Amino acid sequence: MADYYELLGVDRHADADEIKRSYRRLARQLHPDANPGDASTEARFKQVALAYETLSDPERRRQYDTYGEAGPGAGSPSAGGGLGDIFDMFFSGGSPFGGGGGGGGGPAGPPRGSDLEVVADLAFVDAVFGVEAPVTVRTAVGCDDCDATGAAPGTSIETCSECNGAGQVRRVRQSILGQMVTAGPCPRCAGLGTVVPTPCPRCRGEGRVIDERTFTVDVPAGIDTGATLRLTGRGAVGPRGGSTGDLYVHMRVAADEHFTRHGDDLLLDLHVPVTQAALGAHLTFDSLDGEEILDLDAGTQTGRTVRLRGKGVPHLQGRGRGDLLVQVVVDTPTELTDPEAALLQQLADLRGHAIAPPESGLFTRLKSAFK
């Protein structure tokens, strides 16, 4: 079967209301009563219904997102229900939306809370090797005073008298095609099916308040700036007991003083004095894994690169690690003492290298011209 989100024509981050709207639209188009004798349309109608049944249930949707159609509980009728229940909810005797004394389904219930976003700042080394990082967000949480019902202590919520708890009201009008029935959210209860006669003083009937919460994010090794992790159920809680949204954590990794990341490889400029580059040396330097030894051959030039395999960044989607690329940078000495300058002059004489006298350089000549 095709992907459930593709069947319903929604994005993988679509909320419950968007999924329901898309299903209702497709169900009307594909229903067997509207396409008599069309076996292919009827088959697609059943697929769409199965996709909606899975994605409209938060737990089954989570399992589907994690394991796919073959996952536990995904793609199979839920306990105490099945495709017939979904068909009846939209196409049984009374209104396809319920309410108003007709047949059909019950109220939509409290809406889901909003998804939240936050940025997690990580040190370079923590991003390479993974870390448990705390993130703090201001979010909507359930009101303790009213147990998230929105009703003042000692009182309770009541069924909406205008929609009889359906959360929807329908209107009937005549057209050239006959009687038309339209439905929309109940204006009195905003589609919840219930009202709060005596609101909780603390949350003012919302069933939730704004507070600060800190969560621990298990950051995997090898993550980089721009990656996003989703914490299911860590977003804002919905009003009056509605389900909780998700928290999306965007990663921002600080630069390192010595190492540069290129994919899963690390780049390091290793500065060495000209004497060691010319004569060769055994050098020690610090990698992210600890102290390393590099054998520098005599006559090493700037730009020589040594690859240390498996000393880079762990592969985020697999096993193993990238490499550490050490590039040699030969430093020319400056501010020489007289003995050092004499030694270099002697070396230049031995190798037949012409050396410009200290007072005959271009800068000196320019200075003389303006005296």
Side-chain angles (χ1 to χ4, degrees):
M1 180 185 289
D3 179 80
Y4 286 167
Y5 292 97
E6 292 181 3
L7 281 172
L8 293 176
V10 297
D11 184 79
R12 300 192 74 85
H13 300 304
D15 60 23
D17 290 339
E18 185 177 351
I19 290 174
K20 181 183 291 185
R21 286 195 301 270
S22 182
Y23 171 70
R24 285 176 171 172
R25 175 179 55 80
L26 290 171
R28 288 190 179 87
Q29 295 175 1
L30 302 173
H31 193 269
D33 290 347
N35 302 273
D38 190 337
S40 62
T41 301
E42 182 177 356
R44 188 182 172 207
F45 174 67
K46 293 179 179 179
Q47 290 180 333
V48 167
L50 182 58
Y52 173 74
E53 185 181 16
T54 299
L55 300 184
S56 62
D57 182 283
E59 177 60 24
R60 292 179 63 192
R61 181 179 181 179
R62 183 189 66 79
Q63 293 178 349
Y64 177 79
D65 288 344
T66 304
Y67 303 106
E69 184 181 353
S76 60
S78 58
L83 297 182
D85 295 330
I86 298 179
F87 298 162
D88 290 343
M89 179 169 65
F90 294 106
F91 300 102
S92 57
S95 165
F97 301 100
R112 176 180 180 271
S114 301
D115 292 335
L116 301 178
E117 296 180 282
V118 67
V119 174
D121 288 301
L122 301 176
F124 189 87
V125 174
D126 289 339
V128 171
F129 294 114
V131 70
E132 290 185 348
V135 293
T136 300
V137 293
R138 285 185 60 78
T139 182
V141 299
C143 176
D144 294 332
D145 289 3
C146 64
D147 293 328
T149 64
T155 67
S156 60
I157 61 175
E158 296 179 358
T159 300
C160 176
S161 59
E162 186 164 337
C163 65
N164 294 325
Q168 298 275 349
V169 292
R170 59 176 183 163
R171 297 174 179 82
V172 181
R173 64 183 178 87
Q174 295 294 330
S175 73
I176 59 174
L177 299 177
Q179 194 177 67
M180 301 291 291
V181 179
T182 60
C186 173
R188 182 166 186 261
C189 66
L192 297 180
T194 58
V195 294
V196 183
T198 309
C200 169
R202 184 185 178 202
C203 66
R204 301 180 181 180
E206 272 281 304
R208 57 182 184 170
V209 294
I210 302 300
D211 200 0
E212 200 169 76
R213 289 287 187 268
T214 298
F215 304 106
T216 299
V217 184
D218 188 9
V219 180
I223 207 160
D224 201 0
T225 294
T228 298
L229 300 179
R230 183 176 73 173
L231 275 62
T232 304
R234 299 298 190 187
V237 68
R240 289 160 55 182
S243 60
T244 307
D246 299 332
L247 175 62
Y248 291 87
V249 184
H250 306 295
M251 299 296 155
R252 185 167 57 195
V253 181
D256 188 81
E257 182 181 359
H258 303 289
F259 296 93
T260 302
R261 182 169 175 175
H262 185 72
D264 287 343
D265 291 336
L266 290 176
L267 309 180
L268 171 66
D269 284 343
L270 183 61
H271 290 260
V272 299
V274 66
T275 50
Q276 290 181 320
L279 302 176
H282 297 291
L283 301 179
T284 60
F285 65 95
D286 290 329
S287 72
L288 294 183
D289 294 278
E291 190 175 87
E292 303 286 346
I293 298 177
L294 177 65
D295 289 330
L296 199 66
D297 296 332
T300 295
Q301 304 296 313
T302 289
R304 181 200 171 190
T305 300
V306 179
R307 181 183 295 269
L308 302 181
R309 299 195 178 277
K311 297 293 184 179
V313 180
H315 300 313
L316 187 60
Q317 301 296 337
R319 298 180 179 179
R321 295 172 59 178
D323 301 332
L324 171 60
L325 304 178
V326 182
Q327 179 172 273
V328 175
V329 178
V330 179
D331 292 334
T332 301
T334 59
E335 299 180 359
L336 297 172
T337 65
D338 289 341
E340 290 171 339
L343 286 174
L344 287 177
Q345 182 66 58
Q346 183 180 359
L347 175 62
D349 292 341
L350 290 173
R351 297 183 68 87
H353 297 161
I355 303 298
E359 295 299 323
S360 64
L362 175 63
F363 182 70
T364 301
R365 293 198 300 272
L366 287 174
K367 285 174 59 180
S368 300
F370 289 97
K371 285 184 178 180

